[in-house]
Amino acid sequence: MYARIALGNVRKSFRDFSVFFLTLVFGVCVFYAFGSITDQAAVIQMGEDQRRIVQTLTDILSGLSVFVVVILGFLVVYANRFLIRRRKREFGVYLTLGMDIRHVSWIIVIETLVVGVVALGVGLLLGLALSQVMMYVTAGLFEATIRGFVFAFSPAAALSTVACFAGIFLVTLVFNVTTVSRYRLIDLINADKVSEKVRLRSLPLSVVLFLASLVLIGVAYKVLLEHGMLEEGPYFAIATGLVTVGTLLFFFSISGFALRALQASPRAYLSGLNMFVMRQLNSRINTAWLSISLVCAMLFLAICGVCTGFSVATGMNDSLRVGTVYDMSLISYPMSMAVQDAAPYEKDGPAAADGYDAIARLRADIPNYDELFRDAVQVNQYTYDAAGNPLLDTTVEELFANTDFTGNATVQTMMLTQGNTAQRLTVVPVSAYNALAQMAGEKTVALADGECLLWNDLSSLDELWDAVTVQNPEVEVGGQTLRFAAEPLVHLLFSDTSAGGTVSGALVVPDDMVPAGSGPSVTAVNLMYAGERTEVEPDAVAAIDEAYGDVMGQGSTLDAWPVWNSTTAQGLLDQSGGTTVVVMYLAIYIGVVLLVCCATVLALQQLSEAADNVGRYRVLSELGAEKRTIDRALLAQIGVYFLFPLVVAVAHAAVALSVVNDIVALLTGFQIGTALAGTVAFVVALYGGYFLVTYLTSRTMLARG
């Protein structure tokens, strides 16, 4: 009999269980899908390095899953608290009809088990479908292949999911039974007559606090936009503190301010049920302002986390596509990078002569050089002449000091950081630049008498160097004055890189401006394979390694120059693919969990409010209010309640992401606009789904009330 009662309750009150059910399904689906990544990767044709990256991601997700289980457990208990409160009177009727508390507890146990088992089954099915999608997405991100149709099921992830959520259900059952057993019969019978005590605030005080909150938030925005996140000093901490206090005051005062603002227009205030809706919102936000503030903070973190994760991942991919023009780049620093007070190099070393031919050295040291490489170009950057004197007396610090630049705060911070060292501009012969341009299929350049160009392959710094060349139109090179050409910047990639560029501030000068005998401070040899990149690269890397030791930076032969730092386009792409997967999946995982938390808390608060206000809406109906008008009032109330924290979170995120965008652009050369659009769609879909379920459930409650 008790099982039949429990099943009937679930069937009749399914909408009351909807938020609880939806939260469980989301939780199970996401938990299984991300827990099964190892088994997804097992069917993908990956290299050893890629499998190590997947294992690293799995280890990170395993630790993060502990946090996720705790959060989901809290949400499940929180959702059950609403259900228990909603059904107090029903439980009182059971006791009045002769049931004892054990029988009522048994009904609750069966109901919770039924909803939990169904949610677990549906969640696992959706998680299985999501894991299949993720498997193909992972293969695409790694540029790997899956042979034929493969169905990947992870028994370990399924068992872990069942075990974790069984633990959550057990805690929920104990909580439900304990809660019901403590209620007295009189409290259960009169549950719908007990209203929450509301402490009203002074409306004038609310207005003052609201205006103060806007001032604090505005000042925080100004500090963050002016100083960014990288500038030394307490600016970021100040901005964070101000926006936190401002947000708390905003939600503490918004209900009273909105009520006062609406009262200022009697026509709007008395229209329809606006007066009732505003009073309801004022009452609710007065008591729940702190939880709404926390929801706003979580929404902010979710939006920023997901958007930053996507933008970093896509930005890295985009920058790599631009930054892998050559098949292999070999970099060495024969004279070391010239810095202030650098000691003059030894003129008798093997790199001292400006005529040193690194490509000839490669041909001599690699027997099958011509079989591996079809083209190669050597580019030298020079800082000192043969006597150890700087070729340019002007330093980067002096150029920045003489430039009035009003760009973003991140680049200004970079200028100050660069200005703390006496970094010198290097010079590059125009013939070497043109040879590299020809190999890359780019436009060559021609210099008139007395002209020079500024080489910058970091696109995010173009605006800065444009200002420098305009405000400092001439430079002294080796005692001669050179002027910047009409189009002073050139952007050819100096060498393969994952950072969007490797040279910023080199001068391209006529060949005769480099004194005889000068030793290069930086030498780059860019090579193109004599065949397909994927086929030739293993042999090319092995040949370089055999000739010069561990060229990937973990140790090198030091008995002879050159000591190469080697990068390959395919290696950078493989590494970036793994990093993209890690960053993107972590952003999605954390973002989904935070968004579900926010939406669940708001949904349950509004469902609880609807349950408490059944009598009030009944009175409105008895006074002649049409059902359509009441439904609109309910929609407005729930919509405003969901919308307020989202709007504030989006405003905060817009300012924060504008600063993050500067950093991402500086690192990768790309903007976060595409990621932002995807994030907004993601938030709207998930958050809006909870809003819709909350409204429909609340409307059903009022209709039955």
Side-chain angles (χ1 to χ4, degrees):
M1 180 182 72
Y2 300 114
R4 188 164 60 251
I5 293 174
L7 292 175
N9 287 340
V10 172
R11 186 173 59 255
K12 290 184 297 184
S13 305
F14 184 76
R15 285 198 176 182
D16 290 351
F17 287 92
S18 57
V19 172
F20 174 52
F21 181 80
L22 189 62
T23 301
L24 280 177
V25 169
F26 266 127
V28 172
C29 173
V30 172
F31 195 85
Y32 170 81
F34 283 90
S36 64
I37 285 179
T38 301
D39 292 279
Q40 298 169 27
V43 300
I44 302 175
Q45 307 298 316
M46 289 184 177
E48 184 179 348
D49 291 340
Q50 293 173 328
R51 292 193 180 278
R52 279 200 297 266
I53 292 172
V54 171
Q55 185 59 50
T56 300
L57 173 61
T58 303
D59 294 339
I60 296 173
L61 290 176
S62 297
L64 188 61
S65 293
V66 177
F67 164 76
V68 171
V69 169
V70 172
I71 292 296
L72 291 175
F74 163 77
L75 289 178
V76 171
V77 172
Y78 192 74
N80 267 274
R81 180 186 174 193
F82 156 73
L83 291 174
I84 295 298
R85 181 182 178 186
R86 170 89 173 96
R87 302 173 62 199
K88 281 183 181 180
R89 185 174 177 82
E90 176 189 337
F91 297 148
V93 172
Y94 290 154
L95 294 175
T96 303
L97 293 175
M99 286 187 188
D100 59 28
I101 199 66
R102 289 178 305 165
H103 297 145
V104 176
S105 299
W106 182 238
I107 291 174
I108 294 173
V109 168
I110 296 174
E111 290 175 355
T112 305
L113 285 176
V114 169
V115 175
V117 169
V118 174
L120 187 60
V122 174
L124 282 174
L125 288 175
L126 292 177
L128 191 59
L130 178 61
S131 69
Q132 304 305 304
V133 175
M134 289 175 59
M135 180 175 65
Y136 286 94
V137 171
T138 303
L141 292 173
F142 276 115
E143 296 185 358
T145 58
I146 301 176
R147 295 179 180 175
F149 175 78
V150 178
F151 182 79
F153 175 72
S154 174
L159 184 62
S160 175
T161 302
V162 172
C164 288
F165 281 86
I168 292 174
F169 296 151
L170 180 61
V171 172
T172 303
L173 287 175
V174 173
F175 172 82
N176 289 346
V177 173
T178 303
T179 301
V180 173
S181 65
R182 290 179 177 176
Y183 286 135
R184 296 180 301 171
L185 179 58
I186 188 66
D187 294 330
L188 294 173
I189 294 297
N190 294 319
D192 58 343
K193 298 179 181 178
V194 179
S195 59
E196 188 175 16
K197 293 182 179 179
V198 178
R199 184 173 57 189
L200 297 177
R201 301 192 186 97
S202 165
L203 290 183
L205 177 62
S206 295
V207 173
V208 172
L209 292 178
F210 177 80
L211 296 176
S213 72
L214 294 184
V215 171
L216 290 175
I217 293 173
V219 172
Y221 288 175
K222 185 174 186 295
V223 171
L224 185 62
L225 291 173
E226 287 185 354
H227 299 279
M229 295 182 180
L230 303 181
E231 185 172 339
E232 293 184 5
Y235 302 108
F236 183 71
I238 290 173
T240 303
L242 288 176
V243 81
T244 300
V245 175
T247 302
L248 290 171
L249 285 179
F250 180 87
F251 288 110
F252 183 80
S253 61
I254 183 61
S255 59
F257 173 81
L259 181 60
R260 173 55 61 89
L262 194 62
Q263 286 176 338
S265 174
R267 182 175 180 180
Y269 182 66
L270 299 176
S271 174
L273 295 179
N274 288 348
M275 178 172 60
F276 174 79
V277 172
M278 285 306 304
R279 290 290 180 178
Q280 290 292 103
L281 285 171
N282 185 57
S283 159
R284 187 60 186 168
I285 296 178
N286 267 348
T287 58
W289 65 273
L290 184 58
S291 64
I292 297 176
S293 300
L294 293 176
V295 166
C296 178
M298 287 193 294
L299 282 172
F300 167 76
L301 292 175
I303 294 171
C304 289
V306 173
C307 189
T308 301
F310 273 109
S311 63
V312 169
T314 55
M316 288 177 60
N317 283 340
D318 291 341
S319 65
L320 265 179
R321 281 193 291 271
V322 174
T324 50
V325 174
Y326 319 110
D327 290 332
M328 176 181 285
S329 295
L330 302 176
I331 309 294
S332 79
Y333 304 91
M335 296 295 104
S336 178
M337 290 301 293
V339 296
Q340 189 175 17
D341 298 326
Y345 58 85
E346 295 186 11
K347 301 176 187 178
D348 297 331
D354 60 331
Y356 181 82
D357 192 340
I359 297 177
R361 176 68 177 269
L362 288 171
R363 288 182 179 275
D365 293 339
I366 301 175
N368 57 340
Y369 175 90
D370 290 323
E371 298 176 8
L372 297 173
F373 306 106
R374 64 174 172 82
D375 202 358
V377 172
Q378 174 182 346
V379 179
N380 296 330
Q381 295 184 43
Y382 299 90
T383 308
Y384 296 93
D385 62 17
N389 300 313
L391 293 177
L392 285 90
D393 292 333
T394 304
T395 64
V396 173
E397 177 185 17
E398 293 170 344
L399 283 176
F400 287 169
N402 294 332
T403 302
D404 182 15
F405 180 69
T406 57
N408 64 65
T410 301
V411 174
Q412 291 185 27
T413 300
M414 185 279 305
M415 290 173 60
L416 294 174
T417 303
Q418 293 282 0
N420 289 333
T421 63
Q423 179 181 345
R424 298 188 180 279
L425 298 175
T426 59
V427 297
V428 175
V430 67
S431 60
Y433 177 90
N434 284 334
L436 187 61
Q438 285 180 340
M439 187 177 76
E442 300 290 339
K443 182 180 178 181
T444 60
V445 298
L447 293 176
D449 291 340
E451 278 190 344
C452 66
L453 298 167
L454 193 140
W455 192 352
N456 171 58
D457 60 8
L458 287 163
S459 60
S460 56
L461 298 182
D462 280 348
E463 186 180 357
L464 168 62
W465 285 117
D466 268 329
V468 169
T469 55
V470 169
Q471 299 178 42
N472 303 271
E474 295 182 345
V475 290
E476 293 286 336
V477 179
Q480 300 184 42
T481 300
L482 296 179
R483 68 183 183 280
F484 288 110
E487 296 183 3
L489 300 187
V490 288
H491 307 95
L492 179 67
L493 190 71
F494 181 69
S495 64
D496 283 339
T497 177
S498 61
T502 53
V503 60
S504 182
L507 295 182
V508 179
V509 300
D511 289 13
D512 59 9
M513 296 297 296
V514 179
S518 298
S521 55
V522 183
T523 292
V525 177
N526 293 302
L527 304 106
M528 305 299 286
Y529 296 145
E532 291 294 329
R533 182 179 287 174
T534 55
E535 297 176 1
V536 178
E537 179 154 307
D539 293 335
V541 171
I544 295 292
D545 185 59
E546 183 178 354
Y548 302 110
D550 188 352
V551 297
M552 299 309 291
Q554 300 175 0
S556 301
T557 57
L558 300 177
D559 55 344
W561 187 84
V563 179
W564 297 113
N565 293 319
S566 173
T567 56
T568 66
Q570 191 60 47
L572 290 173
L573 291 171
D574 290 343
Q575 181 182 8
S576 172
T579 305
T580 298
V581 172
V582 173
V583 173
M584 189 175 295
Y585 281 1
L586 288 178
I588 294 173
Y589 197 26
I590 296 172
V592 167
V593 171
L594 289 177
L595 280 174
V596 168
C597 290
C598 298
T600 302
V601 170
L602 291 178
L604 293 174
Q605 286 180 346
Q606 280 302 291
L607 289 174
S608 178
E609 179 78 359
D612 290 343
N613 290 329
V614 168
R616 295 183 177 92
Y617 280 96
R618 186 187 304 121
V619 170
L620 288 176
S621 180
E622 292 172 352
L623 291 175
E626 297 180 356
K627 184 179 183 301
R628 183 176 55 184
T629 305
I630 294 176
D631 288 345
R632 280 204 302 265
L634 179 65
L635 180 63
Q637 179 180 333
I638 297 176
V640 170
Y641 200 80
F642 268 77
L643 197 60
F644 262 141
L646 180 62
V647 169
V648 176
V650 168
H652 292 350
V655 176
L657 288 174
S658 68
V659 178
V660 171
N661 181 61
D662 295 336
I663 299 174
V664 173
L666 187 63
L667 295 176
T668 68
F670 289 85
Q671 308 292 323
I672 66 175
T674 303
L676 182 59
T679 302
V680 170
F682 173 67
V683 171
V684 169
L686 187 56
Y687 195 74
Y690 266 89
F691 162 73
L692 184 61
V693 169
T694 303
Y695 168 68
L696 294 176
T697 305
S698 299
R699 191 175 66 175
T700 301
M701 287 182 184
L702 298 183
R704 289 193 314 217

PDB file of all heavy atoms in Angstrom, residues 664-680:
ATOM      1  N   VAL A 664      44.638  37.907 -23.387  1.00  0.00           N
ATOM      2  CA  VAL A 664      44.584  36.830 -24.387  1.00  0.00           C
ATOM      3  C   VAL A 664      45.104  37.327 -25.729  1.00  0.00           C
ATOM      4  O   VAL A 664      45.854  36.623 -26.418  1.00  0.00           O
ATOM      5  CB  VAL A 664      43.144  36.297 -24.513  1.00  0.00           C
ATOM      6  CG1 VAL A 664      43.040  35.306 -25.673  1.00  0.00           C
ATOM      7  CG2 VAL A 664      42.700  35.632 -23.219  1.00  0.00           C
ATOM      8  N   ALA A 665      44.710  38.544 -26.097  1.00  0.00           N
ATOM      9  CA  ALA A 665      45.182  39.101 -27.367  1.00  0.00           C
ATOM     10  C   ALA A 665      46.690  39.299 -27.357  1.00  0.00           C
ATOM     11  O   ALA A 665      47.370  39.086 -28.369  1.00  0.00           O
ATOM     12  CB  ALA A 665      44.483  40.431 -27.645  1.00  0.00           C
ATOM     13  N   LEU A 666      47.240  39.712 -26.214  1.00  0.00           N
ATOM     14  CA  LEU A 666      48.679  39.914 -26.103  1.00  0.00           C
ATOM     15  C   LEU A 666      49.421  38.588 -26.237  1.00  0.00           C
ATOM     16  O   LEU A 666      50.485  38.514 -26.849  1.00  0.00           O
ATOM     17  CB  LEU A 666      49.007  40.572 -24.763  1.00  0.00           C
ATOM     18  CG  LEU A 666      50.458  41.006 -24.545  1.00  0.00           C
ATOM     19  CD1 LEU A 666      50.855  42.074 -25.543  1.00  0.00           C
ATOM     20  CD2 LEU A 666      50.654  41.510 -23.120  1.00  0.00           C
ATOM     21  N   LEU A 667      48.834  37.514 -25.667  1.00  0.00           N
ATOM     22  CA  LEU A 667      49.499  36.216 -25.692  1.00  0.00           C
ATOM     23  C   LEU A 667      49.298  35.483 -27.010  1.00  0.00           C
ATOM     24  O   LEU A 667      50.197  34.771 -27.474  1.00  0.00           O
ATOM     25  CB  LEU A 667      48.975  35.340 -24.544  1.00  0.00           C
ATOM     26  CG  LEU A 667      49.283  35.834 -23.122  1.00  0.00           C
ATOM     27  CD1 LEU A 667      48.617  34.926 -22.095  1.00  0.00           C
ATOM     28  CD2 LEU A 667      50.779  35.910 -22.881  1.00  0.00           C
ATOM     29  N   THR A 668      48.114  35.616 -27.592  1.00  0.00           N
ATOM     30  CA  THR A 668      47.796  34.825 -28.785  1.00  0.00           C
ATOM     31  C   THR A 668      47.555  35.653 -30.032  1.00  0.00           C
ATOM     32  O   THR A 668      47.581  35.113 -31.143  1.00  0.00           O
ATOM     33  CB  THR A 668      46.545  33.967 -28.542  1.00  0.00           C
ATOM     34  OG1 THR A 668      45.393  34.820 -28.419  1.00  0.00           O
ATOM     35  CG2 THR A 668      46.684  33.144 -27.268  1.00  0.00           C
ATOM     36  N   GLY A 669      47.279  36.954 -29.844  1.00  0.00           N
ATOM     37  CA  GLY A 669      46.998  37.808 -30.985  1.00  0.00           C
ATOM     38  C   GLY A 669      45.567  37.733 -31.469  1.00  0.00           C
ATOM     39  O   GLY A 669      45.236  38.294 -32.510  1.00  0.00           O
ATOM     40  N   PHE A 670      44.677  37.055 -30.710  1.00  0.00           N
ATOM     41  CA  PHE A 670      43.296  36.887 -31.138  1.00  0.00           C
ATOM     42  C   PHE A 670      42.339  37.340 -30.045  1.00  0.00           C
ATOM     43  O   PHE A 670      42.670  37.339 -28.862  1.00  0.00           O
ATOM     44  CB  PHE A 670      43.023  35.434 -31.525  1.00  0.00           C
ATOM     45  CG  PHE A 670      43.698  35.021 -32.798  1.00  0.00           C
ATOM     46  CD1 PHE A 670      45.007  34.573 -32.793  1.00  0.00           C
ATOM     47  CD2 PHE A 670      43.041  35.132 -34.005  1.00  0.00           C
ATOM     48  CE1 PHE A 670      45.646  34.212 -33.968  1.00  0.00           C
ATOM     49  CE2 PHE A 670      43.668  34.773 -35.188  1.00  0.00           C
ATOM     50  CZ  PHE A 670      44.964  34.313 -35.167  1.00  0.00           C
ATOM     51  N   GLN A 671      41.121  37.733 -30.473  1.00  0.00           N
ATOM     52  CA  GLN A 671      40.105  38.239 -29.562  1.00  0.00           C
ATOM     53  C   GLN A 671      39.210  37.098 -29.080  1.00  0.00           C
ATOM     54  O   GLN A 671      39.240  35.992 -29.599  1.00  0.00           O
ATOM     55  CB  GLN A 671      39.245  39.300 -30.273  1.00  0.00           C
ATOM     56  CG  GLN A 671      40.044  40.399 -30.937  1.00  0.00           C
ATOM     57  CD  GLN A 671      40.747  41.292 -29.936  1.00  0.00           C
ATOM     58  OE1 GLN A 671      40.216  41.589 -28.868  1.00  0.00           O
ATOM     59  NE2 GLN A 671      41.949  41.740 -30.283  1.00  0.00           N
ATOM     60  N   ILE A 672      38.365  37.401 -28.064  1.00  0.00           N
ATOM     61  CA  ILE A 672      37.531  36.363 -27.471  1.00  0.00           C
ATOM     62  C   ILE A 672      36.068  36.490 -27.897  1.00  0.00           C
ATOM     63  O   ILE A 672      35.194  35.910 -27.275  1.00  0.00           O
ATOM     64  CB  ILE A 672      37.622  36.397 -25.936  1.00  0.00           C
ATOM     65  CG1 ILE A 672      37.019  37.704 -25.386  1.00  0.00           C
ATOM     66  CG2 ILE A 672      39.040  36.227 -25.468  1.00  0.00           C
ATOM     67  CD1 ILE A 672      36.974  37.763 -23.884  1.00  0.00           C
ATOM     68  N   GLY A 673      35.797  37.252 -28.948  1.00  0.00           N
ATOM     69  CA  GLY A 673      34.417  37.501 -29.352  1.00  0.00           C
ATOM     70  C   GLY A 673      33.646  36.236 -29.668  1.00  0.00           C
ATOM     71  O   GLY A 673      32.510  36.054 -29.241  1.00  0.00           O
ATOM     72  N   THR A 674      34.257  35.308 -30.414  1.00  0.00           N
ATOM     73  CA  THR A 674      33.571  34.066 -30.769  1.00  0.00           C
ATOM     74  C   THR A 674      33.254  33.251 -29.537  1.00  0.00           C
ATOM     75  O   THR A 674      32.146  32.708 -29.385  1.00  0.00           O
ATOM     76  CB  THR A 674      34.438  33.240 -31.731  1.00  0.00           C
ATOM     77  OG1 THR A 674      34.724  34.027 -32.886  1.00  0.00           O
ATOM     78  CG2 THR A 674      33.721  31.968 -32.149  1.00  0.00           C
ATOM     79  N   ALA A 675      34.207  33.150 -28.624  1.00  0.00           N
ATOM     80  CA  ALA A 675      33.983  32.400 -27.390  1.00  0.00           C
ATOM     81  C   ALA A 675      32.896  33.054 -26.552  1.00  0.00           C
ATOM     82  O   ALA A 675      32.106  32.365 -25.900  1.00  0.00           O
ATOM     83  CB  ALA A 675      35.284  32.304 -26.596  1.00  0.00           C
ATOM     84  N   LEU A 676      32.831  34.385 -26.557  1.00  0.00           N
ATOM     85  CA  LEU A 676      31.824  35.082 -25.769  1.00  0.00           C
ATOM     86  C   LEU A 676      30.427  34.764 -26.288  1.00  0.00           C
ATOM     87  O   LEU A 676      29.507  34.511 -25.504  1.00  0.00           O
ATOM     88  CB  LEU A 676      32.076  36.592 -25.823  1.00  0.00           C
ATOM     89  CG  LEU A 676      31.128  37.463 -25.013  1.00  0.00           C
ATOM     90  CD1 LEU A 676      31.174  37.089 -23.537  1.00  0.00           C
ATOM     91  CD2 LEU A 676      31.484  38.938 -25.191  1.00  0.00           C
ATOM     92  N   ALA A 677      30.259  34.759 -27.604  1.00  0.00           N
ATOM     93  CA  ALA A 677      28.952  34.441 -28.180  1.00  0.00           C
ATOM     94  C   ALA A 677      28.532  33.021 -27.821  1.00  0.00           C
ATOM     95  O   ALA A 677      27.373  32.765 -27.457  1.00  0.00           O
ATOM     96  CB  ALA A 677      28.994  34.614 -29.693  1.00  0.00           C
ATOM     97  N   GLY A 678      29.457  32.072 -27.891  1.00  0.00           N
ATOM     98  CA  GLY A 678      29.146  30.697 -27.519  1.00  0.00           C
ATOM     99  C   GLY A 678      28.798  30.562 -26.053  1.00  0.00           C
ATOM    100  O   GLY A 678      27.902  29.792 -25.679  1.00  0.00           O
ATOM    101  N   THR A 679      29.509  31.300 -25.207  1.00  0.00           N
ATOM    102  CA  THR A 679      29.239  31.250 -23.770  1.00  0.00           C
ATOM    103  C   THR A 679      27.852  31.786 -23.455  1.00  0.00           C
ATOM    104  O   THR A 679      27.118  31.215 -22.636  1.00  0.00           O
ATOM    105  CB  THR A 679      30.297  32.058 -22.999  1.00  0.00           C
ATOM    106  OG1 THR A 679      31.596  31.535 -23.296  1.00  0.00           O
ATOM    107  CG2 THR A 679      30.058  31.981 -21.501  1.00  0.00           C
ATOM    108  N   VAL A 680      27.483  32.896 -24.086  1.00  0.00           N
ATOM    109  CA  VAL A 680      26.156  33.476 -23.853  1.00  0.00           C
ATOM    110  C   VAL A 680      25.073  32.485 -24.254  1.00  0.00           C
ATOM    111  O   VAL A 680      24.086  32.285 -23.525  1.00  0.00           O
ATOM    112  CB  VAL A 680      26.011  34.794 -24.639  1.00  0.00           C
ATOM    113  CG1 VAL A 680      24.564  35.282 -24.601  1.00  0.00           C
ATOM    114  CG2 VAL A 680      26.931  35.862 -24.059  1.00  0.00           C
TER     115      VAL A 680
END
